[in-house]
């Protein structure tokens, strides 16, 4: 595991490269860090219902909600989206975590004879900035994509509206599942780091080896992006996740922040206030203006304090707006337990 204190610079050889600033208003990025997995067979829905925080009745043609898979202690080890493709369901995984996630899921999949989880070898994910590329792909179908999760089938795959950035930039994902994908204009291609920065600006967390199984999904604001269904039946980790929700025990959540440094803190780096840890970095990306933006899980009662990141004691961490409300911050118990 990488030392959480070690900074990552844009020139250090890390796969976290520098994103443009400001972000592009149009174009696309190829997301090489994402792969698609197809769940198929007679037990597809029952298997997924027992492992993920989303109700499979909500995963329908035209709507593709987010979901999380958690340990029995309620700690998220997978953040994904579910897309209905006929009788199958597609999910997306990060390449560096995919083997570990599939190993975990297949422990339960063994109970469902004839049901499989296989990588879509010809598939992939692209992130689209603005509406122009999405319009070219979907035509009149773009009018059906009004809310995050709304989905239309396009040549060779699916087009999904995802959450906008805090600045109101519309965003979409193209999940292509095989031959027939519409060619995209190479002149409109942007670095993958630009999409990573737009994810942070949209308040969408992703897990890493350092943060896998570190957070309950609500700490990552997953309920506010439609990823937790609190009225479904039992699934692995459900007891902890539901208790935190219904008893109002959430004392930490995801914040968007800016660090006035070209160096990026590693995921898992401690966030400090008054000489003690009050949270940790989830994701970070360097920007071309010499700063970096990050998502961090922080204690609600520390949000109005002077914050720094471990390894950057002289650089203040400033809070930035998210594109969605987090009402738990207003009613969180102000205790130190």
């Amino acid at each position: 595991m990488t030392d959480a204190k070690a900074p990552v610079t844009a020139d250090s050889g890390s796969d976290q490269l520098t994103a443009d600033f400001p972000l592009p208003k149009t174009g696309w990025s190829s997301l090489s860090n994402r792969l698609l997995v197809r769940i198929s067979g007679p037990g597809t829905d029952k298997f997924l219902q027992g492992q993920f925080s989303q109700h499979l009745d909500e995963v329908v043609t035209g709507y593709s909600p987010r979901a999380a898979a958690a340990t029995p202690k309620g700690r998220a080890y997978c953040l994904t989206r579910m897309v209905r493709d006929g009788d199958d369901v597609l999910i997306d995984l990060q390449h560096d975590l995919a083997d570990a996630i599939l190993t975990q899921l297949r422990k339960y999949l063994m109970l469902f004879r004839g049901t499989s989880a296989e990588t879509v070898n010809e598939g992939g994910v692209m992130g689209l900035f603005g509406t122009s590329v999405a319009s070219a792909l979907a035509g009149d179908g773009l009018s059906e994509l009004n809310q995050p999760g709304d989905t239309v089938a396009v040549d060779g795959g699916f087009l999904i509206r995802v959450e906008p950035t805090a600045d109101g930039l519309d965003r979409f994902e193209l999940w292509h599942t095989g031959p027939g994908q519409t060619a995209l204009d190479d002149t409109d291609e942007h670095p993958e780091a630009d999409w990573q920065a737009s994810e942070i600006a949209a308040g969408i967390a992703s897990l890493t080896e350092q943060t896998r199984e570190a957070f309950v999904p609500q700490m990552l604001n997953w309920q506010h992006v439609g990823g937790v269904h609190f009225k479904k039946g039992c699934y692995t980790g459900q007891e902890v996740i539901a208790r935190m929700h219904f008893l109002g025990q959430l004392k930490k959540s995801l914040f968007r922040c800016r660090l006035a440094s070209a160096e990026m803190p590693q995921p898992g780096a401690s966030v400090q206030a008054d000489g003690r840890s009050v949270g940790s970095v989830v994701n970070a990306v360097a920007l071309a203006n010499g700063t970096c933006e990050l998502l961090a899980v922080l204690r609600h009662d520390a949000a109005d304090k002077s914050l720094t990141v471990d390894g950057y004691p002289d650089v203040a961490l400033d809070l930035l707006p998210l594109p969605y409300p987090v009402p738990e911050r207003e009613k969180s118990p102000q205790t130190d337990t």
Side-chain angles (χ1 to χ4, degrees):
M1 181 179 297
T2 306
D3 182 358
K5 292 184 179 182
V8 178
T9 70
D11 298 320
S12 67
S14 165
D15 57 3
Q16 291 182 307
L17 302 177
T18 301
D20 291 324
F21 184 88
L23 290 175
K25 301 298 184 184
T26 187
W28 57 278
S29 294
S30 179
L31 307 185
S32 62
N33 66 325
R34 305 258 293 278
L35 60 82
L36 299 182
V37 173
R38 181 180 297 276
I39 316 297
S40 60
T44 293
D45 281 27
K46 186 173 289 187
F47 160 64
L48 293 171
Q49 184 79 351
Q51 297 307 315
F52 284 87
S53 59
Q54 189 55 254
H55 201 305
L56 268 292
D57 287 351
E58 303 289 325
V59 185
V60 296
T61 301
Y63 183 65
S64 307
R66 295 188 184 272
T71 67
K73 294 182 179 181
R75 300 286 166 156
Y77 66 86
C78 174
L79 301 177
T80 189
R81 184 183 295 279
M82 294 180 166
V83 175
R84 183 72 65 176
D85 185 7
D87 293 330
D88 303 343
V89 173
L90 299 168
I91 62 175
D92 67 313
L93 303 178
Q94 293 169 237
H95 266 288
D96 53 350
L97 298 181
D99 287 345
I101 292 171
L102 289 173
T103 297
Q104 182 83 350
L105 289 175
R106 284 171 176 152
K107 294 178 183 178
Y108 302 94
L109 189 61
M110 294 171 56
L111 302 174
F112 299 88
R113 181 170 298 184
T115 302
S116 63
E118 301 296 337
T119 300
V120 181
N121 292 325
E122 294 183 324
V125 181
M126 294 184 177
L128 312 182
F129 302 93
T131 59
S132 61
V133 178
S135 179
L137 291 170
D140 293 341
L142 188 66
S143 63
E144 302 175 27
L145 305 181
N146 299 308
Q147 301 295 328
D150 287 350
T151 304
V152 294
V154 296
D155 189 20
F158 299 92
L159 182 66
I160 309 160
R161 179 181 280 273
V162 300
E163 292 75 9
T165 67
D167 293 332
L169 175 64
D170 291 322
R171 304 189 311 138
F172 301 82
E173 287 184 358
L174 172 62
W175 289 26
H176 59 94
T177 56
Q181 176 201 348
T182 302
L184 300 179
D185 187 347
D186 289 345
T187 62
D188 285 339
E189 185 175 6
H190 298 284
E192 189 169 356
D194 285 1
W195 187 257
Q196 294 171 356
S198 80
E199 290 278 86
I200 288 174
I204 306 299
S206 60
L207 298 175
T208 63
E209 191 60 45
Q210 295 96 326
T211 57
R212 187 166 62 95
E213 300 184 17
F215 308 110
V216 175
Q218 293 102 301
M219 294 179 184
L220 300 169
N221 296 355
W222 215 239
Q223 74 279 30
H224 298 309
V225 294
V228 183
H229 195 294
F230 291 110
K231 296 183 179 180
K232 67 171 287 185
C234 294
Y235 59 94
T236 303
Q238 183 261 351
E239 183 178 354
V240 174
I241 293 169
R243 183 169 64 243
M244 179 171 285
H245 173 71
F246 290 111
L247 297 183
Q249 296 177 335
L250 186 65
K251 300 177 184 179
K252 298 180 180 180
S253 63
L254 193 72
F255 288 74
R256 176 181 168 225
C257 312
R258 177 185 292 122
L259 188 69
S261 169
E263 297 180 339
M264 294 184 294
Q266 291 273 6
S270 175
V271 177
Q272 308 279 327
D274 298 332
R276 66 189 182 102
S277 177
V278 295
S280 56
V281 173
V282 179
N283 309 112
V285 64
L287 301 178
N289 66 350
T291 69
C292 71
E293 287 195 12
L294 57 90
L295 296 174
V297 170
L298 304 176
R299 293 184 61 93
H300 296 159
D301 59 8
D304 59 351
K305 298 181 183 296
S306 178
L307 302 172
T308 60
V309 179
D310 195 12
Y312 307 83
D314 300 320
V315 185
L317 190 64
D318 299 317
L319 301 186
L320 299 174
L322 288 168
Y324 51 78
V326 184
E328 293 92 342
R329 294 178 186 171
E330 306 303 321
K331 59 184 179 182
S332 177
Q334 298 299 301
T335 65
D336 197 36
T337 58

